[in-house]
Structures are given as structure tokens and as C-alpha cells.
Amino acid sequence: MASLSDETLRKILVQIQQTAVQSQRALNVSLQQTSVKDRERRILQLTIDEISQMKGDVNLYKGIGKMFMHVPRDVMESELKTQEKELSDDITNLNKKSKYLEKQYNDAQGQLRDIFHHAPKHQ
């Protein structure tokens, strides 16, 4: 069996290590994005619950820039539910991405462990 040169082995190790570091960073970003979107979704859910509990014809206003615009109740509820669904979809996609990045990170870590575990011992 032909042995890899020290330079080739070093390049492989550096590449695997870079993959592990990049995956870990991307995973952290993905988890932060998930947390932010989950918080936004909870706020929307609370808003939808509050609006649905209101009785009668109430005036609802939507913030647009520095002003507020009167919006019919059914339009407001529809917009909020659409936003909630979009956030839920985003969270689902971010969770899938996080699982992929976590697997990629674990694979790189495993490769590094295997390389060092099977490396010849110098005496």
C-alpha cells in the first residue's frame, strides 16, 4: 500500500478541519435564525389569539412605516396567518439545514478521529 506524503496528508487534514469549522459556524447561524423566527411566530400566534377573542366590530390598525392604517378584521387575520405559515415553513427549512450541517460537522470530526486513531505511532 502506497503511503501518502506528509504534505498531502497535511492538506487533507487542513481541508477536513476547515469543513468542520465552517459547518460549526453555519450551524450556529442557522440555530440563531431559527430562534429569531420562532420568537416572531410566537408573537404572531399571540396576536392572532388576541384578535380572535375580540367580540363585535372593532377597529384594527396595521403599522406601516411611521403611520397606522385601518385594516378590516378578516384581512388582518388573513395576513397574520399567512405570515405565521411563512415563518413555520422557514423554521422547518432551517431545522433541515441545521440537521445537515450537524451531520456534516460530525462526519468531519469522525474523519479527523479516524485519521489520528489510525496514524502510525512514532517511537
Side-chain angles (χ1 to χ4, degrees), residues 51-114:
I51 290 174
S52 66
Q53 292 176 12
M54 293 179 180
K55 295 186 178 12
D57 191 23
V58 294
N59 291 331
L60 298 176
Y61 296 88
K62 176 180 174 181
I64 301 177
K66 293 183 178 183
M67 67 177 205
F68 293 93
M69 190 170 89
H70 182 266
V71 179
R73 181 181 190 151
D74 57 339
V75 172
M76 177 72 82
E77 286 177 330
S78 174
E79 286 179 3
L80 291 174
K81 287 179 182 176
T82 299
Q83 289 174 9
E84 181 190 14
K85 180 170 180 354
E86 289 172 0
L87 285 172
S88 294
D89 292 345
D90 288 348
I91 290 168
T92 300
N93 292 333
L94 283 168
N95 285 334
K96 288 178 187 175
K97 181 179 178 181
S98 294
K99 286 179 184 172
Y100 170 77
L101 291 168
E102 189 172 5
K103 181 184 181 317
Q104 190 177 35
Y105 173 75
N106 289 334
D107 288 349
Q109 291 293 97
Q111 289 172 347
L112 288 172
R113 272 193 302 277
D114 288 347

